[in-house]
């Protein structure tokens, strides 16, 4: 990217005085526009300063940035609390035309001292661009001191975040909830979590935790166990007689809102709508709540009795759930609008198993299943007491002698690990690539290997084989890995003449899911993609029909819990604006959050000067005999001592990023 000036990632690029065609590249990825109306001319943050072009005012920006550091300081350590306040005051003096050369020296030594002596990211990483501004823009400071220059009055939106927070689709303040656990303030921790997600238990048990892949502690020894600390905060509330939060705005507004689908996305959106005072009703076609987190993720990973208590909390906030109502059939856009619903959130997920595309698949051979269907049947059998409709009888689940599960994602993992628990002796994965390319969570793969699952790599299915009308096996072809495909993984190429039959009395297809969006026929203006997902605005989740919003898997395609919840929270914000008659648009902080994520808040190559401490505390798990013989929860949760020890490893890597938006005359 070309820019006028940059110190980003310690690389000085100074193109001042050169024509734009002679500008050297800078190692930063910044958007040129803040939104459709306003442009960005500069950015200041933990990684340095980037000036895209005129107009800019480094001294004014430094003053605003110093103020942002002050506001972001948690005030727990003296150098950061007092130092950032003094620094802001000195900047104010310079901006007010009352500064002198001594003030510049004072700022240099002050910010040097703050970064050396502070205990967390704001103080340690924050001052760097201020020191750089004093070094490379001395003339601009001197112009202020001599009275030649006056403040420009530009707008400087900023955002405090952290590498882990920035990687979390919900934007959760992770260092804060960890800090609160460390201090024993579990209610405060849960409150922080619930600001971003009402599903602390579900996420704390099954989130794929992108935060942990962006944890700076990993540059020192091993990432913090962020996900499981979240679970502790929820479990503590669940297991103790503590007062749960209430919703002071419950049903304070008249507007009814229809949320379609009671999965993580629908439930989360309904929760945030209820907190704004609206009256959300969730319409769910199944007799169970939780979407794929109920029907797909097995009982040994998320116990349903635990999930029911989590959902109870969401209901208490003012959310109504209606079961066994299929949208598009029992209710439609038209019928619900007639009943007074003022907006819709479509969160119907993707629950149709994709076909393997092999010969015989359309013949309804007994013993051939879609992964989604069989997991639902298994869950319904294992947890039948929790089904919300007593008339629903689960299908019996057959237990074969040998099962082949085609696929290597998380659905495949859940299928094989469930069949181990159901007592099947010969449980196999068939995958066309190698272990290295498997999309499943590596932890799940390790667990499945420990439980006895066999892996058959570089094999692709070609035909279902029958004998006397019954399933006898799966014909497969050997594969070799060719050059990478569009997914970046090496493409499997068939080895001619390598077909052979693997015997089996059950074959499960677990190679992905599709969305059923037939209910959209009624609203032709809503756009869809060729993958049969719904097109919605990336920030507000509004569709082309103003009162209809959509989020979760039905927008992203089958993905993960935390993205579904992240969509929901933002959609609820957009829906709130729509229902209050405001302009539907993301808040400036949200735009900054996205900008920082685009720049990349985490640097895997950064050398982090932090002494090693306790090693990461892994979550204790149940005995092997319990894993294989039952659907008992595998992960047991941290003890108080363990969670405090693990939380103490967090380095609170908070950072601040600020943009210069000259067109708006306001201040940050
Ligand atoms: C087997 C499996 C394992 C997984 N494991 C993990 C994991 O470990 N970690 C992780 O992060 N993610 C995991 N995922 C993905 C995760 O569960 C999903 O990304 C997430 O549940 C998506 O949430 P959602 O609310 O968008 O959709 P869903 O959870 O699919 O919920 C959609 C809901 O809408 C309902 N619905 C659909 N159509 C209609 C209609 N017409 N009318 C009324 N209701 C309707 C459905 O019945 C469902 O309850 C897994 C998924 C599967 C299938």
């Amino acid at each position: 990217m070309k820019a006028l000036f940059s110190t980003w990632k310690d690389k000085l690029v100074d193109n001042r005085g050169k024509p734009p065609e002679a500008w050297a590249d800078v190692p930063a990825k910044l958007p040129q526009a803040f939104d459709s109306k306003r442009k960005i001319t500069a950015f200041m943050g933990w990684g340095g300063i980037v000036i895209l072009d005129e107009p800019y005012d480094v001294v004014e920006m430094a003053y605003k940035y110093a103020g942002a550091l002050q506001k972001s300081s948690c005030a727990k350590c003296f150098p950061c609390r007092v130092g950032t306040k003094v620094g802001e005051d000195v900047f104010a003096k310079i901006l007010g035309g009352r500064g002198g050369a001594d003030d510049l020296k004072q700022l240099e030594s002050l910010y040097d001292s703050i970064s050396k002596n502070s205990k967390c990211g704001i103080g340690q990483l924050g001052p760097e661009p201020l020191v750089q501004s004093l070094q490379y823009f001395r003339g601009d400071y001197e112009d202020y001191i001599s009275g030649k220059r006056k403040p420009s009055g530009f707008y400087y939106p900023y955002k405090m975040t952290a590498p882990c927070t920035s990687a979390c689709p919900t934007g959760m303040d992770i260092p804060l909830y960890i800090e609160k656990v460390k201090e024993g303030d579990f209610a405060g921790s849960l409150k922080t979590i619930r600001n971003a997600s009402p599903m602390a238990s579900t996420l704390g048990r099954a989130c794929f935790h992108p935060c942990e892949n962006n944890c700076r502690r990993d540059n020192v020894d091993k990432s913090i166990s962020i996900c499981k600390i979240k679970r502790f905060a929820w479990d503590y509330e669940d297991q103790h007689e503590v007062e749960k939060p209430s919703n002071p705005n419950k049903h304070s507004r008249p507007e009814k809102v229809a949320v379609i689908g009671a999965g993580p996305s629908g439930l989360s959106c309904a929760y945030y709508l209820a907190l704004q005072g609206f009256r959300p009703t969730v319409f769910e076609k199944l007799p169970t709540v939780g979407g794929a987190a109920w029907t797909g993720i097995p009982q040994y990973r998320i116990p349903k009795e635990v999930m029911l208590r989590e959902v109870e909390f969401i209901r208490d906030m003012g959310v109504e759930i209606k079961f066994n109502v299929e949208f598009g059939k029992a209710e439609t856009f038209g019928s619900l609008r007639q009943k007074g619903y003022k907006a819709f959130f479509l969160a119907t997920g993707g629950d149709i198993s994709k076909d393997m595309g092999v010969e015989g698949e359309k013949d309804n051979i007994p013993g051939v299943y879609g992964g989604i269907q069989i997991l639902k049947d298994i869950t319904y059998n294992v947890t039948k007491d929790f089904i919300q409709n007593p008339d629903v009888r689960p299908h019996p689940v057959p237990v074969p002698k040998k099962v082949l599960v085609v696929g290597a994602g998380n659905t495949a993992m859940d299928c094989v690990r469930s069949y181990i628990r159901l007592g099947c002796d010969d449980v196999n994965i068939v995958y066309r690539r190698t272990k290295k390319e498997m999309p499943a969570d590596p932890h799940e793969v390790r667990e499945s290997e420990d439980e006895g699952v066999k892996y058959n790599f570089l094999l692709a299915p070609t035909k279902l084989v029958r004998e006397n009308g019954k399933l006898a096996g799966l014909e497969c072809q050997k594969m070799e890995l060719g050059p990478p495909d569009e997914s970046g993984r090496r493409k499997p190429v068939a080895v001619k003449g390598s077909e052979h039959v693997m015997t089996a009395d059950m074959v499960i297809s677990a190679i992905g899911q599709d969305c059923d969006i037939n209910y959209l026929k009624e609203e032709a203006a809503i756009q869809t993609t060729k993958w049969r997902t719904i097109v919605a605005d990336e920030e507000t989740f509004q569709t082309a029909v103003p009162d209809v919003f959509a989020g979760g898997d039905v927008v992203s395609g089958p993905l993960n819990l935390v993205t579904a919840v992240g969509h929901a929270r933002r959609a609820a914000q957009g829906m709130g604006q729509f229902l209050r008659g405001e302009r539907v648009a993301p808040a400036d902080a949200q735009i900054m959050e996205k900008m920082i994520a685009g720049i990349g808040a985490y640097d895997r190559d950064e050398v982090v000067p932090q002494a090693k401490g306790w090693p990461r505390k892994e979550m204790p798990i149940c005995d092997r005999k319990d894993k294989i013989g039952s659907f008992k929860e595998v992960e047991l949760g941290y003890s108080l001592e363990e969670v405090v020890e693990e939380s103490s490893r967090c380095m609170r890597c908070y950072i601040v990023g600020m943009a210069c938006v000259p067109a708006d005359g306001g201040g940050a």
Side-chain angles (χ1 to χ4, degrees):
M1 191 184 102
K2 305 278 181 213
L4 180 64
F5 176 91
S6 172
T7 56
W8 202 253
K9 286 196 175 177
D10 294 331
K11 185 176 176 217
L12 178 66
V13 178
D14 194 348
N15 292 316
R16 285 177 289 179
K18 296 179 194 163
E21 53 282 9
W23 287 2
D25 280 332
V26 302
K29 278 186 292 172
L30 269 178
Q32 306 280 330
F34 187 69
D35 56 23
S36 60
K37 294 204 179 83
R38 296 173 287 178
K39 70 172 187 172
I40 294 165
T41 58
F43 186 88
M44 190 175 266
W46 70 101
I49 305 170
V50 183
I51 296 175
L52 296 172
D53 209 345
E54 303 275 357
Y56 65 92
D57 183 341
V58 165
V59 182
E60 182 182 72
M61 190 169 194
Y63 163 58
K64 294 285 183 179
Y65 180 81
L69 286 187
Q70 218 295 306
K71 285 193 198 84
S72 306
S73 169
C74 75
K76 281 192 184 152
C77 73
F78 180 83
C80 185
R81 180 178 73 240
V82 176
T84 55
K85 177 72 190 108
V86 173
E88 187 187 6
D89 290 346
V90 176
F91 270 113
K93 192 175 153 196
I94 294 168
L95 228 76
R98 290 172 289 112
D102 285 354
D103 291 313
L104 302 186
K105 280 204 194 108
Q106 189 196 349
L107 284 176
E108 276 166 344
S109 65
L110 177 73
Y111 282 109
D112 182 51
S113 163
I114 296 173
S115 57
K116 281 189 182 130
N117 298 307
S118 296
K119 293 213 169 100
C120 76
I122 292 295
Q124 289 167 357
L125 308 170
E128 184 64 15
L130 297 176
V131 175
Q132 290 171 349
S133 76
L134 288 156
Q135 186 179 354
Y136 298 114
F137 294 85
R138 203 70 169 192
D140 297 36
Y141 279 95
E142 282 158 4
D143 284 351
Y144 264 100
I145 288 170
S146 65
K148 271 197 226 151
R149 187 155 188 176
K150 294 273 176 269
S152 310
F154 295 153
Y155 175 49
Y156 298 97
Y158 74 89
K159 177 89 181 104
M160 180 181 83
T161 182
C164 50
T165 296
S166 182
C168 175
T170 70
M172 192 174 286
D173 189 342
I174 292 168
L176 183 62
Y177 87 66
I178 292 181
E179 175 90 352
K180 290 199 175 289
V181 165
K182 187 176 101 185
E183 291 169 347
D185 178 7
F186 307 125
S189 176
L190 199 48
K191 187 172 169 209
T192 308
I193 295 165
R194 283 176 174 149
N195 284 339
S197 162
M199 309 204 66
S201 166
T202 295
L203 288 180
R205 284 174 159 81
C207 182
F208 294 147
H209 47 72
C211 50
E212 293 185 23
N213 299 332
N214 288 264
C215 173
R216 270 175 88 242
R217 184 87 218 188
D218 210 33
N219 296 27
V220 178
D221 41 28
K222 230 172 166 194
S223 61
I224 311 284
S225 183
I226 299 171
C227 177
K228 303 303 170 192
I229 295 175
K230 186 185 298 111
R231 167 181 165 171
F232 181 91
W234 189 86
D235 283 0
Y236 189 89
E237 183 190 82
D238 187 46
Q239 291 159 11
H240 294 82
E241 291 303 312
V242 294
E243 198 181 330
K244 291 191 184 172
S246 57
N247 177 8
N249 298 328
K250 189 169 171 179
H251 299 166
S252 59
R253 297 189 62 104
E255 295 91 347
K256 293 200 290 180
V257 188
V259 173
I260 314 300
S265 201
L267 290 172
S268 301
C269 183
Y271 171 83
Y272 290 113
L273 287 167
L275 291 191
Q276 296 173 68
F278 300 113
R279 296 160 187 264
T281 302
V282 183
F283 297 92
E284 168 56 54
K285 71 176 177 185
L286 296 178
T288 49
V289 74
W294 184 292
T295 55
I297 301 180
Q299 173 77 358
Y300 63 85
R301 291 211 285 135
I302 304 183
K304 306 312 170 206
E305 57 277 27
V306 172
M307 190 185 281
L308 278 182
R309 293 199 291 276
E310 180 170 54
V311 173
E312 210 43 53
F313 172 76
I314 295 174
R315 282 173 146 162
D316 287 347
M317 295 296 116
V319 172
E320 185 189 10
I321 306 176
K322 291 191 173 173
F323 292 99
N324 312 300
V325 183
E326 181 164 355
F327 187 65
K329 291 185 180 158
E331 293 286 5
T332 60
F333 287 108
S335 70
L336 290 176
R337 282 191 185 117
Q338 253 182 11
K339 288 178 188 167
Y341 286 87
K342 299 292 180 214
F344 295 82
F345 181 62
L346 308 175
T348 48
D351 60 358
I352 306 171
S353 292
K354 272 191 201 300
D355 285 347
M356 295 178 284
V358 301
E359 203 182 313
E361 205 169 5
K362 302 271 180 240
D363 299 348
N364 288 328
I365 306 171
V368 181
Y369 294 89
I372 299 298
Q373 184 55 41
I374 200 77
L375 283 171
K376 187 169 106 187
D377 287 347
I378 293 171
T379 296
Y380 276 16
N381 275 277
V382 174
T383 63
K384 43 182 168 294
D385 295 346
F386 305 130
I387 295 176
Q388 311 266 326
N389 180 352
D391 299 335
V392 173
R393 297 267 173 274
H395 298 283
V397 176
V399 180
K401 286 198 179 65
K402 179 173 179 182
V403 58
L404 302 180
V405 177
V406 180
N410 290 294
T411 304
M413 290 299 102
D414 288 333
C415 289
V416 287
R417 295 186 68 194
S418 292
Y419 265 103
I420 290 276
R421 282 160 175 79
L422 287 171
C424 179
D425 292 333
D426 200 350
V427 181
N428 295 267
I429 286 279
V430 174
Y431 181 43
R432 61 196 184 128
R433 291 182 162 106
T434 69
K435 187 171 182 179
K436 204 170 139 217
E437 289 82 28
M438 281 181 71
D441 188 26
H443 170 77
E444 289 284 311
V445 180
R446 278 195 302 276
E447 284 291 306
S448 71
E449 284 172 329
D450 178 53
E451 290 163 10
V453 172
K454 296 174 197 157
Y455 279 82
N456 304 271
F457 292 117
L458 292 170
L459 276 187
T462 47
K463 188 163 107 183
L464 289 159
V465 180
R466 270 172 288 196
E467 262 173 32
N468 305 324
K470 282 170 86 180
L471 180 73
L474 184 67
E475 185 190 87
C476 296
Q477 198 172 23
K478 282 193 186 155
M479 295 279 145
E480 283 171 352
L481 289 186
D485 62 14
E486 63 282 358
S487 74
R489 293 177 302 170
R490 291 179 64 193
K491 194 176 170 167
V493 183
V495 178
K496 275 199 184 130
S498 63
E499 290 83 356
H500 60 282
V501 175
M502 293 181 76
T503 57
D505 47 353
M506 182 183 276
V507 171
I508 299 174
S509 159
I511 55 165
Q513 293 112 250
D514 285 323
C515 304
D516 178 357
I517 48 171
N518 284 328
Y519 55 79
L520 282 186
K521 278 186 209 137
E522 201 191 340
E523 277 290 3
I526 297 178
Q527 291 170 331
T528 55
T529 67
K530 63 178 176 184
W531 300 281
R532 288 187 62 70
T533 55
I534 297 175
V535 177
D537 182 271
E538 280 180 21
E539 298 298 322
T540 64
F541 295 90
Q542 191 173 33
T543 69
V545 174
D547 64 343
V548 181
F549 294 68
D553 278 4
V554 78
V555 167
S556 60
L559 208 56
N560 57 49
L561 297 164
V562 71
T563 304
V565 174
H567 285 186
R569 186 172 68 77
R570 295 192 171 93
Q573 235 164 293
M575 293 174 82
Q577 291 167 329
F578 172 80
L579 291 162
R580 288 186 294 267
E582 299 162 7
R583 190 168 79 92
V584 179
D588 287 357
Q590 191 175 326
I591 297 176
M592 288 305 298
E593 194 174 294
K594 191 175 173 197
M595 195 187 300
I596 293 172
I599 295 169
Y602 174 62
D603 180 359
R604 185 156 289 287
D605 299 326
E606 183 193 353
V607 177
V608 179
Q610 170 88 20
K612 288 191 182 180
W614 279 305
R616 175 174 158 127
K617 199 93 215 151
E618 295 303 342
M619 170 71 68
I621 58 172
C622 68
D623 291 343
R624 195 164 184 280
K625 69 173 170 30
D626 285 333
K627 283 206 262 176
I628 292 171
S630 78
F631 278 79
K632 202 173 147 181
E633 187 168 19
V634 171
E635 295 187 326
L636 301 177
Y638 283 134
S639 68
L640 185 61
E641 295 74 26
E642 285 166 340
V643 83
V644 170
E645 194 175 306
E646 183 58 19
S647 305
S648 305
R649 297 178 62 239
C650 177
M651 304 187 304
R652 293 174 51 83
C653 310
Y654 281 122
I655 53 174
V656 170
M658 175 179 272
C660 172
V661 182
D664 189 319

